[in-house]
Amino acid sequence: MSILQYRRRCSRLANAILWPLLCATQAGAHAAEQGFVLLLPTDIYISAGVACVVMTVVLLTVLPAPVLRGLFRPFDLWRRRRAPAARLLTSSASFLILCALVWLGLSGPRDPLTNPLPLMIWTVWWIALVTVQGLFGDLWRWIDPWHGPVALSRWALWRGPALRLPVQLGYSGAILTYLGFVIVLLADPAPSDPARLARYVGGYWLFTYVALLLFGPRWALRGEGIAMLMRCYAAVGLFGRRGRWFATGLFGWQAMRRRAPGFGAAIFMLVILGCGSFDGLNETFWWLDLMGINPLEFPGRTAVVAQNTAGLIVANLALIVAYGLSVRMGLALAGADMSWRQAFCIYAPSILPIALGYHVGHYLTSLLVNGQYALAALNDPLARGDSLLGMATFYVTTGFFNTQDSVRLIWLCQAAAVVAGHVLAILMAHLIALNHHGSARRAMLSQLPLAGFMVLYTLFGLWLLAAPRGL
């Protein structure tokens, strides 16, 4: 089949898929749409991406350990100064903005593409802010909407927490609250309905506020899923704190300098990847066909709530099992004397770049489109014809999805994000192995199964980006 014929067939398929998407009802819309169906042949791109990761594995066999350690050595920039008052002000301002958004969700326009709340939560916060957090460092600690109100409440009411968070709970609170958030994102019938989302956001803020008052900072460390997610991604960022210094280095340098996470924290890191992967899988023709649903006659999200919830849980369990088996096989090959649980924990941070890379790749097209809607909504938050940002003639465009060159550039950026995440993960995992096994030979043997796992996951991630979607 010629490329021209291939494009014509794909274009007909895209029209059949995109037209129902553009006319989707409010209840049937995903919280953040993919935006287009890939019109390019993908075999070359997927093969090149996997080959790049494989070559990285091969390169590690000849790369000297000092060179690899040097890659993750940070550089001090300036002495950091403590600014508790500044953080109190920025957090309180973030809380006030959140209150205004919740009010707009309850009182503003009902269209999720004109009401600022859905666009700010699902596009600006979930897509853009999480990406910035992972790429550049811990911005969230400055705009966390709980720190300021909790600090002021303690100053006015009482000094310390009223209860002690049981140590036996570990990180189960963070895992459960994060899974609850993802279930709303992927399985709720109408996650972008402004009033419905306002109740979710307000209820979650209040729940977390009470928990922080009762249990203190330990709840933010072990019980609150969003804070845990942000800390995990911040460990991958370019900039961070190193003692009294503000420093920078290669992506992941902060994770490499920290102590190995506990078992619960390691499970949470895998859950981040599992949830992100299922976010792409649950939209594919393959998943819909598995449930017996015609993707061109999708009945709406209400028909797949139970299936998506169950699929999310099964996907996370399967990922944890596959990762655990890879670690166990690596220990057996290397003849290492460390326990499986210890190895499971020390390698878990190397999963974070994969999760971040897929987050960036998966949501890029949604950010390009819904980011424009977010600007338009902020310009006219009550849909009254206002022009608060001076953008009265602003129109949302999707013209960049109409040409082969622009679509190719978008897909290459998506694929590059996924491949770069996997390459960084392999570098981190190999350095961790060198630090704990000492011998380069034992480190390489211990990494073979885990490297194979990452190569296969690269193939899976690129396939998810290219797979036709039915939601």
Side-chain angles (χ1 to χ4, degrees), residues 95 98-99 101-103 106 117 121 146 194-210:
F95 166 68
L98 184 65
C99 290
L101 288 172
V102 170
W103 176 79
L106 295 171
L117 177 65
I121 294 296
W146 290 285
R196 188 181 184 93
L197 182 58
R199 289 190 288 270
Y200 280 139
V201 172
Y204 186 80
W205 185 91
L206 183 60
F207 169 79
T208 303
Y209 170 77
V210 172

Side-chain angles (χ1 to χ4, degrees), residues 217-297:
R218 290 180 180 235
W219 181 257
L221 292 174
R222 295 192 282 118
E224 208 272 290
I226 299 303
M228 185 77 178
L229 171 79
M230 292 298 190
R231 282 198 307 276
C232 288
Y233 275 147
V236 184
L238 287 172
F239 302 98
R241 296 174 291 172
R242 192 179 77 90
R244 297 181 179 180
W245 292 85
F246 188 73
T248 187
L250 181 66
F251 293 105
W253 71 268
Q254 297 176 76
M256 300 300 296
R257 293 181 61 86
R258 295 181 180 180
R259 293 185 305 174
F263 189 70
I267 292 290
F268 186 90
M269 293 175 184
L270 289 166
V271 167
I272 295 175
L273 177 59
C275 291
S277 299
F278 187 75
D279 191 2
L281 181 66
N282 81 313
E283 303 171 350
T284 61
F285 282 10
W286 178 87
W287 175 254
L288 294 175
D289 181 65
L290 189 65
M291 294 187 293
I293 295 175
N294 183 348
L296 300 183
E297 297 178 359

Side-chain angles (χ1 to χ4, degrees), residues 62-226:
V62 297
L63 189 67
V67 173
L68 187 57
R69 291 190 176 96
L71 289 176
F72 289 96
R73 183 176 296 117
F75 300 93
D76 295 333
L77 297 176
W78 60 77
R79 283 185 178 272
R80 63 186 185 90
R81 298 177 180 177
R82 296 183 180 274
R87 187 183 174 198
L88 185 67
L89 289 174
T90 55
S91 174
S92 300
S94 176
F95 166 68
L96 294 176
I97 293 172
L98 184 65
C99 290
L101 288 172
V102 170
W103 176 79
L104 285 170
L106 295 171
S107 306
R110 301 270 59 84
D111 184 357
L113 291 180
T114 57
N115 191 298
L117 177 65
L119 293 163
M120 293 300 291
I121 294 296
W122 298 128
T123 302
V124 176
W125 175 76
W126 174 238
I127 299 178
L129 180 61
V130 170
T131 298
V132 170
Q133 181 86 358
L135 293 178
F136 297 104
D138 196 2
L139 175 63
W140 178 248
R141 71 185 302 267
W142 293 96
I143 58 175
D144 165 12
W146 290 285
H147 174 76
V150 169
L152 293 174
S153 298
R154 283 193 184 146
W155 174 80
L157 300 175
W158 66 83
R159 295 293 179 182
L163 300 173
R164 183 170 181 172
L165 187 65
V167 177
Q168 295 81 357
L169 292 178
Y171 292 88
S172 58
I175 294 172
L176 291 176
T177 51
Y178 182 65
L179 282 175
F181 160 76
V182 178
I183 287 173
V184 170
L185 172 66
L186 301 184
D188 186 82
S192 292
D193 176 72
R196 188 181 184 93
L197 182 58
R199 289 190 288 270
Y200 280 139
V201 172
Y204 186 80
W205 185 91
L206 183 60
F207 169 79
T208 303
Y209 170 77
V210 172
L212 287 169
L213 285 180
L214 291 177
F215 299 112
R218 290 180 180 235
W219 181 257
L221 292 174
R222 295 192 282 118
E224 208 272 290
I226 299 303

Side-chain angles (χ1 to χ4, degrees), residues 328-462:
R328 183 177 292 276
M329 291 170 59
L331 291 176
L333 284 174
D337 55 359
M338 73 172 61
S339 68
W340 171 82
R341 187 186 181 98
Q342 181 186 3
F344 188 99
C345 294
I346 65 173
Y347 290 123
S350 66
I351 294 296
L352 294 174
I354 301 176
L356 178 64
Y358 186 73
H359 181 90
V360 174
H362 176 63
Y363 286 117
L364 177 60
T365 55
S366 181
L367 180 63
L368 292 174
V369 177
N370 288 349
Q372 299 177 69
Y373 280 110
L375 282 175
L378 292 175
N379 188 53
D380 185 14
L382 295 174
R384 299 182 307 191
D386 298 330
S387 182
L388 302 183
L389 303 180
M391 299 163 49
T393 58
F394 180 79
Y395 296 102
V396 174
T397 178
T398 58
F400 40 81
F401 294 145
N402 296 333
T403 65
Q404 182 177 0
D405 290 340
S406 58
V407 171
R408 180 188 288 112
L409 178 61
I410 291 170
W411 201 87
L412 284 173
C413 291
Q414 292 176 297
V418 172
V419 172
H422 282 80
V423 169
L424 181 60
I426 290 173
L427 292 174
M428 290 175 62
H430 189 65
L431 181 55
I432 291 170
L434 285 172
N435 290 338
H436 285 82
H437 294 294
S439 164
R441 178 179 175 277
R442 293 177 65 185
M444 178 54 65
L445 289 174
S446 71
Q447 284 301 288
L448 288 178
L450 192 57
F453 166 80
M454 291 181 177
V455 169
L456 291 176
Y457 219 90
T458 305
L459 178 62
F460 176 61
L462 293 173

Side-chain angles (χ1 to χ4, degrees), residues 298-345:
F298 183 65
R301 286 169 63 108
T302 53
V304 294
V305 171
Q307 296 93 320
N308 281 347
T309 303
L312 176 68
I313 295 172
V314 171
N316 278 285
L317 290 175
L319 175 63
I320 292 170
V321 170
Y323 170 82
L325 288 175
S326 299
V327 171
R328 183 177 292 276
M329 291 170 59
L331 291 176
L333 284 174
D337 55 359
M338 73 172 61
S339 68
W340 171 82
R341 187 186 181 98
Q342 181 186 3
F344 188 99
C345 294

